[in-house]
Amino acid sequence: MSSAQNDYFQLFALPEQFDIDTRLLEANFRKIQSTSHPDRFVTASAAEKLASMQLATLSNEAYGTLKNTARRAKYLLEKHGIDAVADTNTALPMDFLMQQMEWREQLEDAKAAKDIPGLDQLHHELRTEARALESELADLFDHAKDYATATEVTRKLIFIDKVCTDIQQAIEYLD
């Protein structure tokens, strides 16, 4: 497997940037999945079967990373030598830390009260915040090339992504 195939953006023939064409990502992912499907390699050599399986596995991981905006931002930072979630990289503004605690308390209160509409409202509020952060990241990565600020914004987006996942799990549990 070539190094170009290990670069998620090159694998899907996408420019290396935060703001990507998600329809093109989806279409190119399906092409790779189709060409590397095990049914196409029934009579192939063991080496060809292994190569197709490795390509399918890589494309699944790459697709999952580029499709999710928080994971895409983290991946872009890693390509620039920055670990957004390193133990030494934990600083966030005090106002965001206070907001984190409020969101977590709202989540726990709504779960305890089995308040699905409250969970939906909180999810909507967080998705709105996430969209604003995603817009900011597109500017920071694709225009300003300000990776230090992008790191802080990415850490906020990762937190919001995690809380949204927790909300969805709570709703599924309560349904």
Side-chain angles (χ1 to χ4, degrees):
M1 197 169 304
S2 73
S3 64
Q5 288 178 323
N6 289 324
D7 181 294
Y8 296 172
F9 291 99
Q10 289 182 19
L11 179 65
F12 296 118
L14 294 168
E16 185 180 313
Q17 60 188 40
F18 183 79
D19 189 17
I20 62 171
D21 180 344
T22 54
R23 288 179 295 178
L24 183 59
L25 170 66
E26 178 81 24
N28 290 344
F29 172 67
R30 291 191 186 282
K31 284 180 196 170
I32 291 171
Q33 288 295 302
S34 175
T35 59
S36 63
H37 194 277
D39 289 348
R40 292 179 165 265
F41 294 88
V42 171
T43 60
S45 69
E48 290 170 326
K49 288 178 182 176
L50 177 62
S52 73
M53 185 181 72
Q54 288 173 330
L55 180 57
T57 301
L58 176 66
S59 68
N60 280 330
E61 173 61 26
Y63 177 74
T65 298
L66 296 184
K67 184 174 180 180
N68 177 288
T69 55
R71 291 179 61 193
R72 185 186 324 141
K74 184 177 176 286
Y75 178 69
L76 276 168
L77 289 170
E78 288 169 357
K79 288 183 67 70
H80 291 279
I82 300 168
D83 183 355
V85 294
D87 290 340
T88 57
N89 196 5
T90 59
L92 280 172
M94 184 56 75
D95 61 333
F96 187 76
L97 294 173
M98 297 300 291
Q99 184 63 60
Q100 279 185 335
M101 290 187 342
E102 286 180 32
W103 284 327
R104 280 285 177 200
E105 286 174 11
Q106 288 176 355
L107 171 59
E108 293 307 316
D109 290 348
K111 282 170 52 179
K114 299 182 179 171
D115 180 10
I116 292 177
L119 289 168
D120 283 335
Q121 176 61 34
L122 180 58
H123 188 266
H124 177 76
E125 179 183 338
L126 287 167
R127 286 302 313 147
T128 300
E129 182 70 26
R131 281 190 291 279
L133 294 174
E134 290 162 0
S135 176
E136 190 176 350
L137 282 171
D139 183 56
L140 291 167
F141 278 117
D142 302 343
H143 304 290
K145 311 290 185 203
D146 180 354
Y147 303 119
T149 306
T151 302
E152 181 180 303
V153 175
T154 297
R155 295 183 67 240
K156 290 178 181 177
L157 187 59
I158 289 170
F159 173 81
I160 288 173
D161 192 52
K162 172 78 172 95
V163 176
C164 284
T165 299
D166 292 347
I167 292 170
Q168 290 169 334
Q169 289 173 346
I171 290 171
E172 288 173 15
Y173 178 78
L174 294 174
D175 267 346

Tab-separated table of all heavy atoms in Angstrom, residues 86-121:
chain	number	residue	atom	x	y	z
A	86	ALA	N	-3.596	15.730	23.726
A	86	ALA	CA	-2.455	15.355	24.573
A	86	ALA	C	-2.675	15.862	25.994
A	86	ALA	O	-3.302	16.904	26.213
A	86	ALA	CB	-1.169	15.945	23.999
A	87	ASP	N	-2.151	15.100	26.959
A	87	ASP	CA	-2.281	15.489	28.361
A	87	ASP	C	-1.650	16.849	28.637
A	87	ASP	O	-2.047	17.538	29.566
A	87	ASP	CB	-1.623	14.443	29.267
A	87	ASP	CG	-2.415	13.143	29.276
A	87	ASP	OD1	-3.614	13.167	28.927
A	87	ASP	OD2	-1.826	12.106	29.634
A	88	THR	N	-0.685	17.233	27.826
A	88	THR	CA	-0.012	18.518	28.008
A	88	THR	C	-0.724	19.656	27.287
A	88	THR	O	-0.276	20.791	27.327
A	88	THR	CB	1.428	18.449	27.467
A	88	THR	OG1	1.379	18.053	26.093
A	88	THR	CG2	2.263	17.461	28.260
A	89	ASN	N	-1.852	19.328	26.649
A	89	ASN	CA	-2.558	20.308	25.832
A	89	ASN	C	-4.012	20.389	26.308
A	89	ASN	O	-4.929	20.039	25.589
A	89	ASN	CB	-2.487	19.857	24.357
A	89	ASN	CG	-2.849	20.961	23.400
A	89	ASN	OD1	-3.072	22.090	23.808
A	89	ASN	ND2	-2.911	20.616	22.136
A	90	THR	N	-4.202	20.820	27.555
A	90	THR	CA	-5.534	20.753	28.153
A	90	THR	C	-6.161	22.113	28.421
A	90	THR	O	-7.283	22.179	28.914
A	90	THR	CB	-5.482	19.982	29.487
A	90	THR	OG1	-4.577	20.657	30.365
A	90	THR	CG2	-5.037	18.547	29.266
A	91	ALA	N	-5.485	23.201	28.123
A	91	ALA	CA	-6.013	24.522	28.461
A	91	ALA	C	-7.215	24.886	27.590
A	91	ALA	O	-7.196	24.705	26.374
A	91	ALA	CB	-4.918	25.570	28.283
A	92	LEU	N	-8.261	25.351	28.231
A	92	LEU	CA	-9.442	25.887	27.550
A	92	LEU	C	-9.858	27.148	28.287
A	92	LEU	O	-9.614	27.283	29.488
A	92	LEU	CB	-10.594	24.875	27.565
A	92	LEU	CG	-10.543	23.761	26.531
A	92	LEU	CD1	-11.626	22.728	26.790
A	92	LEU	CD2	-10.693	24.325	25.119
A	93	PRO	N	-10.511	28.076	27.603
A	93	PRO	CA	-10.943	29.307	28.273
A	93	PRO	C	-11.916	28.994	29.424
A	93	PRO	O	-12.712	28.065	29.329
A	93	PRO	CB	-11.655	30.082	27.170
A	93	PRO	CG	-11.254	29.442	25.894
A	93	PRO	CD	-10.853	28.045	26.204
A	94	MET	N	-11.845	29.819	30.468
A	94	MET	CA	-12.681	29.603	31.651
A	94	MET	C	-14.173	29.608	31.308
A	94	MET	O	-14.931	28.801	31.844
A	94	MET	CB	-12.375	30.663	32.714
A	94	MET	CG	-13.135	30.453	34.015
A	94	MET	SD	-12.866	28.829	34.768
A	94	MET	CE	-11.231	29.036	35.426
A	95	ASP	N	-14.594	30.499	30.387
A	95	ASP	CA	-16.022	30.544	30.056
A	95	ASP	C	-16.486	29.246	29.408
A	95	ASP	O	-17.599	28.770	29.651
A	95	ASP	CB	-16.352	31.760	29.178
A	95	ASP	CG	-15.610	31.750	27.847
A	95	ASP	OD1	-14.517	31.158	27.761
A	95	ASP	OD2	-16.125	32.349	26.890
A	96	PHE	N	-15.619	28.626	28.603
A	96	PHE	CA	-16.008	27.352	27.997
A	96	PHE	C	-16.038	26.244	29.052
A	96	PHE	O	-16.918	25.382	29.031
A	96	PHE	CB	-15.078	26.969	26.846
A	96	PHE	CG	-15.548	25.745	26.095
A	96	PHE	CD1	-16.613	25.837	25.199
A	96	PHE	CD2	-14.978	24.503	26.312
A	96	PHE	CE1	-17.085	24.705	24.531
A	96	PHE	CE2	-15.439	23.371	25.648
A	96	PHE	CZ	-16.499	23.473	24.759
A	97	LEU	N	-15.100	26.272	29.991
A	97	LEU	CA	-15.109	25.275	31.057
A	97	LEU	C	-16.384	25.379	31.888
A	97	LEU	O	-16.982	24.359	32.260
A	97	LEU	CB	-13.872	25.438	31.953
A	97	LEU	CG	-12.534	25.134	31.267
A	97	LEU	CD1	-11.373	25.506	32.198
A	97	LEU	CD2	-12.449	23.674	30.858
A	98	MET	N	-16.824	26.601	32.155
A	98	MET	CA	-18.072	26.800	32.908
A	98	MET	C	-19.268	26.285	32.088
A	98	MET	O	-20.173	25.646	32.619
A	98	MET	CB	-18.266	28.278	33.270
A	98	MET	CG	-17.188	28.826	34.194
A	98	MET	SD	-17.088	27.949	35.773
A	98	MET	CE	-18.621	28.459	36.512
A	99	GLN	N	-19.235	26.566	30.787
A	99	GLN	CA	-20.308	26.097	29.908
A	99	GLN	C	-20.334	24.568	29.851
A	99	GLN	O	-21.394	23.952	29.849
A	99	GLN	CB	-20.139	26.683	28.503
A	99	GLN	CG	-21.255	26.336	27.541
A	99	GLN	CD	-22.593	26.907	27.980
A	99	GLN	OE1	-22.741	28.119	28.105
A	99	GLN	NE2	-23.557	26.041	28.230
A	100	GLN	N	-19.154	23.949	29.841
A	100	GLN	CA	-19.065	22.478	29.855
A	100	GLN	C	-19.799	21.918	31.065
A	100	GLN	O	-20.569	20.960	30.952
A	100	GLN	CB	-17.600	22.027	29.943
A	100	GLN	CG	-16.837	22.017	28.681
A	100	GLN	CD	-15.440	21.418	28.907
A	100	GLN	OE1	-14.883	21.434	30.005
A	100	GLN	NE2	-14.878	20.891	27.840
A	101	MET	N	-19.524	22.507	32.227
A	101	MET	CA	-20.158	22.016	33.461
A	101	MET	C	-21.667	22.182	33.386
A	101	MET	O	-22.413	21.299	33.804
A	101	MET	CB	-19.574	22.743	34.674
A	101	MET	CG	-18.149	22.331	34.940
A	101	MET	SD	-17.336	22.925	36.438
A	101	MET	CE	-18.254	24.288	37.005
A	102	GLU	N	-22.127	23.319	32.853
A	102	GLU	CA	-23.577	23.528	32.731
A	102	GLU	C	-24.205	22.501	31.804
A	102	GLU	O	-25.272	21.948	32.110
A	102	GLU	CB	-23.861	24.943	32.211
A	102	GLU	CG	-23.640	26.021	33.233
A	102	GLU	CD	-23.941	27.400	32.678
A	102	GLU	OE1	-24.840	27.516	31.815
A	102	GLU	OE2	-23.257	28.348	33.101
A	103	TRP	N	-23.580	22.236	30.659
A	103	TRP	CA	-24.127	21.236	29.725
A	103	TRP	C	-24.174	19.852	30.370
A	103	TRP	O	-25.139	19.129	30.238
A	103	TRP	CB	-23.302	21.192	28.439
A	103	TRP	CG	-23.543	22.339	27.508
A	103	TRP	CD1	-24.715	23.028	27.309
A	103	TRP	CD2	-22.590	22.929	26.628
A	103	TRP	NE1	-24.533	24.007	26.361
A	103	TRP	CE2	-23.243	23.961	25.922
A	103	TRP	CE3	-21.243	22.678	26.358
A	103	TRP	CZ2	-22.598	24.739	24.963
A	103	TRP	CZ3	-20.603	23.449	25.405
A	103	TRP	CH2	-21.276	24.470	24.728
A	104	ARG	N	-23.107	19.486	31.070
A	104	ARG	CA	-23.064	18.171	31.736
A	104	ARG	C	-24.154	18.070	32.813
A	104	ARG	O	-24.787	17.031	32.964
A	104	ARG	CB	-21.684	17.910	32.343
A	104	ARG	CG	-20.678	17.447	31.329
A	104	ARG	CD	-20.932	16.003	30.967
A	104	ARG	NE	-20.016	15.535	29.939
A	104	ARG	CZ	-20.249	14.485	29.177
A	104	ARG	NH1	-21.357	13.773	29.338
A	104	ARG	NH2	-19.400	14.115	28.277
A	105	GLU	N	-24.354	19.155	33.571
A	105	GLU	CA	-25.403	19.145	34.600
A	105	GLU	C	-26.781	19.029	33.952
A	105	GLU	O	-27.639	18.290	34.448
A	105	GLU	CB	-25.315	20.419	35.451
A	105	GLU	CG	-24.148	20.428	36.418
A	105	GLU	CD	-23.981	21.755	37.143
A	105	GLU	OE1	-24.876	22.626	37.061
A	105	GLU	OE2	-22.939	21.912	37.766
A	106	GLN	N	-26.998	19.755	32.839
A	106	GLN	CA	-28.282	19.649	32.136
A	106	GLN	C	-28.511	18.221	31.649
A	106	GLN	O	-29.628	17.701	31.739
A	106	GLN	CB	-28.332	20.619	30.952
A	106	GLN	CG	-28.462	22.070	31.340
A	106	GLN	CD	-28.407	22.988	30.105
A	106	GLN	OE1	-28.188	22.538	28.984
A	106	GLN	NE2	-28.598	24.272	30.336
A	107	LEU	N	-27.461	17.607	31.137
A	107	LEU	CA	-27.565	16.232	30.660
A	107	LEU	C	-27.937	15.293	31.804
A	107	LEU	O	-28.873	14.490	31.685
A	107	LEU	CB	-26.237	15.796	30.008
A	107	LEU	CG	-26.111	14.319	29.641
A	107	LEU	CD1	-27.198	13.885	28.661
A	107	LEU	CD2	-24.724	14.045	29.053
A	108	GLU	N	-27.234	15.406	32.900
A	108	GLU	CA	-27.510	14.511	34.037
A	108	GLU	C	-28.908	14.760	34.608
A	108	GLU	O	-29.606	13.807	34.954
A	108	GLU	CB	-26.432	14.681	35.120
A	108	GLU	CG	-25.057	14.206	34.678
A	108	GLU	CD	-25.045	12.780	34.134
A	108	GLU	OE1	-25.683	11.880	34.737
A	108	GLU	OE2	-24.409	12.549	33.082
A	109	ASP	N	-29.319	16.015	34.713
A	109	ASP	CA	-30.657	16.329	35.214
A	109	ASP	C	-31.733	15.759	34.293
A	109	ASP	O	-32.722	15.186	34.769
A	109	ASP	CB	-30.851	17.850	35.353
A	109	ASP	CG	-30.030	18.443	36.485
A	109	ASP	OD1	-29.477	17.670	37.313
A	109	ASP	OD2	-29.902	19.690	36.524
A	110	ALA	N	-31.563	15.928	32.984
A	110	ALA	CA	-32.560	15.430	32.025
A	110	ALA	C	-32.605	13.904	32.039
A	110	ALA	O	-33.683	13.314	31.948
A	110	ALA	CB	-32.248	15.949	30.616
A	111	LYS	N	-31.449	13.263	32.178
A	111	LYS	CA	-31.422	11.798	32.256
A	111	LYS	C	-32.162	11.330	33.516
A	111	LYS	O	-32.974	10.405	33.453
A	111	LYS	CB	-29.983	11.288	32.282
A	111	LYS	CG	-29.316	11.285	30.932
A	111	LYS	CD	-27.827	11.016	30.950
A	111	LYS	CE	-27.360	9.821	31.681
A	111	LYS	NZ	-25.900	9.620	31.616
A	112	ALA	N	-31.884	11.977	34.645
A	112	ALA	CA	-32.511	11.581	35.904
A	112	ALA	C	-34.026	11.776	35.860
A	112	ALA	O	-34.779	10.977	36.418
A	112	ALA	CB	-31.907	12.376	37.060
A	113	ALA	N	-34.466	12.831	35.170
A	113	ALA	CA	-35.903	13.128	35.061
A	113	ALA	C	-36.546	12.387	33.891
A	113	ALA	O	-37.749	12.526	33.670
A	113	ALA	CB	-36.106	14.630	34.900
A	114	LYS	N	-35.744	11.625	33.141
A	114	LYS	CA	-36.232	10.918	31.941
A	114	LYS	C	-36.936	11.897	30.999
A	114	LYS	O	-38.000	11.609	30.455
A	114	LYS	CB	-37.140	9.759	32.326
A	114	LYS	CG	-36.411	8.740	33.165
A	114	LYS	CD	-37.283	7.573	33.516
A	114	LYS	CE	-36.392	6.655	34.328
A	114	LYS	NZ	-36.824	5.622	34.955
A	115	ASP	N	-36.312	13.052	30.838
A	115	ASP	CA	-36.855	14.173	30.069
A	115	ASP	C	-36.295	14.143	28.641
A	115	ASP	O	-35.311	14.831	28.332
A	115	ASP	CB	-36.485	15.477	30.782
A	115	ASP	CG	-36.989	16.715	30.069
A	115	ASP	OD1	-37.794	16.584	29.104
A	115	ASP	OD2	-36.574	17.817	30.468
A	116	ILE	N	-36.921	13.367	27.777
A	116	ILE	CA	-36.442	13.252	26.395
A	116	ILE	C	-36.540	14.583	25.648
A	116	ILE	O	-35.586	14.962	24.954
A	116	ILE	CB	-37.161	12.109	25.649
A	116	ILE	CG1	-36.721	10.769	26.258
A	116	ILE	CG2	-36.841	12.132	24.152
A	116	ILE	CD1	-37.403	9.559	25.680
A	117	PRO	N	-37.637	15.355	25.787
A	117	PRO	CA	-37.655	16.668	25.127
A	117	PRO	C	-36.511	17.583	25.619
A	117	PRO	O	-35.946	18.339	24.831
A	117	PRO	CB	-39.026	17.250	25.483
A	117	PRO	CG	-39.878	16.044	25.725
A	117	PRO	CD	-38.960	15.047	26.367
A	118	GLY	N	-36.181	17.502	26.894
A	118	GLY	CA	-35.065	18.282	27.429
A	118	GLY	C	-33.738	17.843	26.819
A	118	GLY	O	-32.870	18.669	26.530
A	119	LEU	N	-33.586	16.524	26.632
A	119	LEU	CA	-32.370	16.006	25.991
A	119	LEU	C	-32.307	16.458	24.538
A	119	LEU	O	-31.245	16.833	24.048
A	119	LEU	CB	-32.335	14.479	26.085
A	119	LEU	CG	-32.089	13.903	27.477
A	119	LEU	CD1	-32.357	12.404	27.493
A	119	LEU	CD2	-30.672	14.203	27.949
A	120	ASP	N	-33.450	16.416	23.845
A	120	ASP	CA	-33.494	16.891	22.454
A	120	ASP	C	-33.115	18.371	22.372
A	120	ASP	O	-32.373	18.783	21.475
A	120	ASP	CB	-34.889	16.688	21.852
A	120	ASP	CG	-35.158	15.246	21.469
A	120	ASP	OD1	-34.198	14.492	21.204
A	120	ASP	OD2	-36.347	14.877	21.433
A	121	GLN	N	-33.631	19.171	23.305
A	121	GLN	CA	-33.329	20.603	23.318
A	121	GLN	C	-31.837	20.847	23.544
A	121	GLN	O	-31.214	21.678	22.874
A	121	GLN	CB	-34.150	21.314	24.391
A	121	GLN	CG	-33.825	22.792	24.549
A	121	GLN	CD	-34.074	23.598	23.277
A	121	GLN	OE1	-34.995	23.302	22.524
A	121	GLN	NE2	-33.242	24.603	23.028
